[in-house]
Each structure stands twice: as structure tokens, then as C-alpha cells.
Amino acid sequence: MKQVKVQIKINPEQINLPGAIRKEALKAAGLPDNEDISTRVLRRSIDARSRKPHFILQVAIGDPETVEPQKSVFTPLPLNGKQVVIAGAGPAGYFAALTLLEQGIKPIIIERGRTVNDRRKDLKKIYTEGLVNPDSNYCFGEGGAGTYSDGKLYTRATKRGNVGRILDLLIANGAPGDIRIDAHPHLGSNVLPRIVSKMRDDIISCGGEVHFNTRVDSFVLDGDRMAGVIAGGNEIKADAVILATGHSARDIFYALADQDIRIEAKPFALGVRIEHPQPLIDKIFYHQSPRHENLPAASYRISTQAMGRGVFSFCMCPGGYIVPASTAPGELVLNGMSLAARNAPFANAGLVAEVKIEDLENPGDPFCALKYQAAAEKNMFAAGDGVTQQAPAQRVNDFIEGRISKSIPKTSYIPGTYSAPVHELLPFIQSEALRNGLKALGKKFKGFDSNEAKVLAVESRTSSPVRIPRDRETLEHVQIKGLFPCGEGAGYAGGIISAAMDGEKCAQAAARMIS
Ligand code: FAD
């Protein structure tokens, strides 16, 4: 039988009933319920536009063989004597390593932080002692910035690579198969670490090397060609270098500039973490509270314009926690995470406004955006007790009206909050854009600007404030042959999936260059 695909609508009450999906799918296709016919859900999303949210499913119907999915698998080749240094063990770095192994090239991964499990101890110290280890924190360490996160696995950059292959490889390393079906899949902080360590085991067992607690400090150049790196005081020679150090590795940007390797300022976005009780978000976006038990915690992605710039939500974490994502002592940076169940009582998201290069002092300085970002983070830390990662906070309505809140509602942010004029602590342009933007969003989404919600600051690591320019075709740095700027830090990805896809692309380009 030729495979057919149908789209069906299923209510939350029916979604887990045995046989319900099959029955609806066969009915939609006008087929009898015959045991020779198989059905398989290809895609699952939630439509919450109407008063009653429901699931939309795309279902394949056909012979058992035709409806079975085709899976990409990891197929390493014997090593051929060539080697590539990869700086950074984030998604870009690890997927680059797997791709190189499929070309018979040895990856040598250099990672400043600790293994994914040891990293937990450093995260704990941020909470218990206010201590931020500059090499091991929410951004640095094995697995990269996305490891202790919400683990959202969707991207709008679907044309930049093969999303399905990345998801298949994650499944092969222990992710649940549902990530291939859900329109908005996520993993959660309790699932990602074991996937990351399984990927490392594969890389090492196929002949790759992974060096932890080792920072790349500078580059070995042979004229205009990259010949290796200096890391942990040692020179490591390489046929190519993939630089995948993420958006927070400020020292790498300075190291590049010190060696006259061109970098450019890049616009980014900055603002606050906004946190609501999850039932309020369910009410606004599902039109029901309590939500049906078969519906996941409601999420949102919203945007508006204010002060001539975009104001938008970023990295929304339903049923999640706000976390301290600073990468050095003396700064305060917030982000969000969740567990697989997304069952915490709060919903948080970045709410940020664009930072345009023309707004900044010295727009010709490649570090102008980075300096603006760093100043806001230092300012936020200095406003506090000077020791812990306690965050300044304000009720949303008070933030809009510009008055200090008499009290701050309960929060998921473990280091704690204190009442402060966040509207004054933020840079002026972003503060004004957010306050005006929130007014507009409150009109559109009733309750979003309520005083039950609060803002904490600062959300500033939305994307890299620097771009490392590369050739569109060869993906090599515009000046330096054999250097492949890669992933989010170089300005070519935003999120786990797009960083992984860029890692694959850079590895393929490096393999082409070497052979
Ligand atoms: P990174 O993941 O940043 O990895 C860079 C690696 O390089 C790090 O391991 C770092 O330690 C290492 N490094 C840095 N400097 C050096 C050096 N000098 N020498 C050696 N190693 C170095 N994205 C999503 O898609 N979904 C989410 O739910 C999500 N939630 C997030 C939550 C949090 C708390 C954070 C911080 C980020 C989140 N992100 C999320 C963003 C996502 O993590 C990044 O987009 C992604 O990890 C970028 O991948 P990357 O490999 O380019 O860089």
C-alpha cells in the first residue's frame, strides 16, 4: 500500500486513549481498520488559538515497512592521520567531532571546563557560596551553554542543515524518540548531561581526544595559515582549527584581536527575565486554568516593537527556573532552565530589546557591543550585596510605571531577589523599549503585565556581541586559512540545534580543505 499522510485534531481528553489516534487517522483517510495497515505519528503540535486547546497530529498510514522512519546513524571511518583541533565541547564542538570521525579525521577537543558531571559541583557553589568559577559554570564546561538548560530542540534556521539528523543522533545517544515528533521538543537539564557524556564516549572510542580543564589561550600561525593552538601551556598542532567557544568566551575574542585576527562588533539583545506563575501563563495562552492534565505547561513566543526596535521573548522556560548564568566573579547574568517534566510552579522567559551598534559609543570598535553587555552585567552585580548572585527585581506593573516594588512575589531564582529600580539599573534605551513593549504586550495578552509577575535583571547573553567573519563558501576565517569560526560564539548559530548543525558544516568544510 502506498503511504498516505493525514492531519487530525485530537482533544487532550483523547490523546492518551489506546487506539484513539489510529482510529481518527484511518477515519480521516477513509480506510477500514485492517491489521495489515500501520499508522505512525509524524508530527505533534498544540493549537491553542481557539478557546479549547487541542493537539494537531500528522499521521502516516501504510504498510509496516513504509511507515517506519529512516534514521541517520553515526558511521565513523578508520582514522587517516589528519587531525583537527576543536576549541569548545558545546553542541557545535561535539557535532563537529562526530562529523570529522565520519571523514576519518581525528578530532582533538580542548575544553576549558570540567566534565558534565563535575560541572554540577561548580553550579552548586554559585548557589551556596556565590562563587562563580570562570572556567566551569552555566555557560562553560562539557556540553556547553545548553547542557543545564531547558533543552529546547527547535530552530527556525531549518535551512542551515539537517535538523532530523541532529535529532536522530541525540536519540541514538539516549534522548527520547518523541523529540523527532514534537513540533517544539525539549529535553530538560536532567536528561541532557547523560546524552553529552555518551557522545564523549563515542568520540573517544573512535580515536578522538577530549581534554578538560584546558583553555585555548592563543593561536599558532604559519603566515596566514592556522597551524594549531596554545592550550594549557602546550602547543597542539593541527591541520585545521574549529573555534566553537560560545558567546561568553570573551578572552578568546581578545586573543584573536591580540593576534590581529579580524573580529567585528555584532548587534545582540538585552533585557530582563520575566517570571509569572505557570497557572497565569496557562490561563493567558491556553485560556484555561487549571490546564488539562494531558497538556504540557503552556509556553509562548511573543514580540512587539518599541522605541524603533524589536522587543521579544527569548528562551522561554515553562515550568522552569531562573538561573545565575554569570561566567566571572563581579557580574550578574540570568538565564532559564527546566527539568524534563517542566513541573515547577513558575514560567520564565527572557524579555529583551535589541541593542543596535549605532546606539553605542565607538561603533567602530569591534568590542563596543561586548563592552556594553559587560557594563550592564557589572552594574547589576554592583547594585547588590557585592557577594552573592542575588538579583534586583521589580513587579511588572511597577517596572512599567517606574516605581520601586514594596515586595517581590515568590520566585524560582534560588540565590534570591531584592526590590530595586530595575528600570533605572538597565541601560536607558533597553529599559524604555521594554517598559513600552510590556504595555503593548499587556494589552494583547491580558494579565501578562500583571503585578503577580516580576522582572529580574539582567538577561544579556542572548547571542554573541562579536562576529568572527568567515568566507561564505569555505567557512574559513576571511584572513586566516584553516581557521573555522563556528557556532554561536562566532555569530553563526543561536541555540543547541543550530550550533550542532554549524558544527557539522564546519567539520565538513575542514575535511574538504584538508583532503
Ligand atoms: P557553547 O555551548 O557556548 O559551547 C562553547 C564551549 O566552549 C563551552 O563548553 C566552553 O566551556 C568552551 N570554551 C570557551 N572558551 C574556551 C577556551 N578558551 N578554550 C577551550 N574551551 C573554551 N539553547 C537552546 O537551543 N535551547 C535551550 O533551551 C537553551 N537554554 C539555555 C539555557 C541556558 C542557561 C544557557 C546559558 C543557554 C541556553 N541555550 C539554549 C543556548 C545554547 O546553549 C547555545 O546556543 C549553544 O549551547 C551554543 O552552542 P556552541 O557549541 O556554539 O557554544
Side-chain angles (χ1 to χ4, degrees):
M1 175 190 168
K2 202 164 162 255
Q3 194 195 92
V4 289
K5 289 180 192 164
V6 291
Q7 185 161 302
I8 57 170
K9 184 176 144 180
I10 294 271
N11 291 324
E13 296 77 16
Q14 292 173 286
I15 191 81
N16 293 333
L17 291 182
I21 294 173
R22 178 181 169 84
K23 189 171 158 206
E24 285 300 316
L26 291 173
K27 193 166 116 194
L31 290 167
D33 196 346
N34 175 334
E35 62 184 21
D36 294 336
I37 302 177
S38 287
T39 57
R40 183 169 66 88
V41 176
L42 300 174
R43 198 103 184 119
R44 178 170 53 212
S45 58
I46 294 172
D47 185 347
R49 285 170 302 177
S50 64
R51 285 277 119 200
K52 201 158 183 277
H54 51 266
F55 291 87
I56 301 284
L57 304 179
Q58 193 189 36
V59 185
I61 305 173
D63 300 328
E65 314 82 63
T66 55
V67 297
E68 275 312 304
Q70 297 210 328
K71 290 191 184 122
S72 307
V73 284
F74 171 52
T75 43
L77 288 181
L79 298 185
N80 61 19
K82 304 278 184 188
Q83 61 184 36
V84 170
V85 162
I86 300 172
Y94 268 9
F95 277 86
L98 294 175
T99 306
L100 288 171
L101 287 165
E102 292 188 316
Q103 307 282 333
I105 297 168
K106 175 178 176 169
I108 302 176
I109 300 179
I110 311 291
E111 168 55 52
R112 71 193 296 161
R114 305 216 276 167
T115 65
V116 73
N117 281 334
D118 288 345
R119 215 176 142 183
R120 280 181 218 272
K121 297 173 196 155
D122 299 311
L123 299 184
K124 194 170 171 201
K125 281 191 188 157
I126 302 179
Y127 291 109
T128 54
E129 299 168 46
L131 272 182
V132 180
N133 178 335
D135 292 310
S136 176
N137 46 57
Y138 270 99
C139 292
F140 295 159
E142 187 184 23
T147 307
Y148 293 97
S149 79
D150 184 44
K152 279 176 281 295
L153 296 180
Y154 41 91
T155 175
R156 281 184 284 184
T158 47
K159 292 203 176 105
R160 289 201 210 155
N162 185 345
V163 177
R165 176 177 147 83
I166 305 290
L167 296 175
D168 283 347
L169 294 184
L170 289 171
I171 293 169
N173 284 290
D178 277 8
I179 62 170
R180 201 65 161 99
I181 294 170
D182 281 325
H184 294 107
H186 89 108
L187 288 172
S189 290
N190 45 340
V191 176
L192 269 157
R194 61 169 189 268
I195 296 174
V196 167
S197 56
K198 170 90 173 40
M199 285 172 76
R200 181 219 313 154
D201 290 346
D202 279 356
I203 291 166
I204 293 172
S205 69
C206 294
E209 291 177 19
V210 187
H211 300 268
F212 294 107
N213 304 308
T214 311
R215 198 176 50 228
V216 171
D217 289 318
S218 59
F219 303 94
V220 181
L221 292 171
D222 177 6
D224 67 352
R225 174 164 288 280
M226 185 60 69
V229 297
I230 305 290
N234 298 315
E235 180 175 325
I236 305 171
K237 290 222 161 68
D239 296 294
V241 171
I242 295 179
L243 189 59
T245 43
H247 60 24
S248 292
R250 291 178 178 159
D251 35 18
I252 275 291
F253 299 134
Y254 283 102
L256 290 165
D258 281 350
Q259 292 187 251
D260 291 328
I261 300 174
R262 197 191 314 159
I263 60 169
E264 296 163 358
K266 185 183 137 303
F268 68 108
L270 180 148
V272 292
R273 270 271 140 188
I274 185 164
E275 188 175 61
H276 298 78
Q278 182 65 48
L280 177 57
I281 292 299
D282 292 339
K283 194 167 166 199
I284 299 172
F285 293 95
Y286 280 161
H287 325 289
Q288 55 178 235
S289 188
R291 67 174 189 270
H292 190 279
E293 59 182 357
N294 290 342
L295 286 170
S299 63
Y300 59 84
R301 174 182 260 170
I302 52 180
S303 62
T304 185
Q305 287 279 322
M307 304 278 290
R309 68 197 57 230
V311 172
F312 53 94
S313 63
F314 174 80
C315 184
M316 198 261 152
C317 300
Y321 302 84
I322 299 178
V323 297
S326 314
T327 51
E331 65 186 29
L332 180 59
V333 179
L334 304 178
N335 212 308
M337 63 155 245
S338 73
L339 302 177
R342 282 183 167 168
N343 56 1
F346 298 103
N348 74 74
L351 189 72
V352 293
E354 281 176 273
V355 175
K356 299 182 180 185
I357 298 299
E358 59 264 31
D359 297 337
L360 308 178
E361 269 178 50
N362 301 324
D365 175 3
F367 291 102
C368 63
L370 189 154
K371 287 175 184 164
Y372 190 80
Q373 182 191 51
E377 295 166 358
K378 287 201 173 88
N379 196 28
M380 236 31 98
F381 182 80
D385 60 12
V387 182
T388 69
Q389 292 280 302
Q390 258 197 2
Q394 203 167 11
R395 289 181 186 261
V396 165
N397 208 256
D398 294 338
F399 175 67
I400 294 172
E401 298 300 332
R403 54 175 181 246
I404 293 195
S405 301
K406 293 203 178 77
S407 64
I408 301 296
K410 268 193 175 164
T411 172
S412 66
Y413 184 63
I414 295 172
T417 58
Y418 60 93
S419 177
V422 175
H423 64 286
E424 284 174 9
L425 292 173
L426 286 169
F428 178 76
I429 299 179
Q430 280 69 39
S431 176
E432 289 296 298
L434 288 171
R435 292 166 70 196
N436 285 301
L438 262 168
K439 266 190 213 164
L441 292 171
K443 283 193 188 129
K444 200 164 169 197
F445 305 104
K446 223 171 162 358
F448 194 80
D449 57 351
S450 111
N451 253 2
E452 278 185 78
K454 63 272 183 196
V455 294
L456 281 67
V458 58
E459 166 89 38
S460 48
R461 306 281 173 96
T462 48
S463 71
S464 184
V466 166
R467 183 183 305 280
I468 311 176
R470 71 185 187 192
D471 182 88
R472 278 169 162 266
E473 294 296 316
T474 65
L475 305 189
E476 284 170 294
H477 187 272
V478 289
Q479 290 168 310
I480 309 293
K481 300 267 169 283
L483 171 61
F484 294 84
C486 180
E488 182 154 36
Y492 302 100
I496 297 168
I497 295 290
S498 62
M501 292 194 300
D502 201 55
E504 288 199 325
K505 263 171 54 176
C506 288
Q508 284 154 1
R512 276 196 300 275
M513 189 276 289
I514 291 170
S515 54

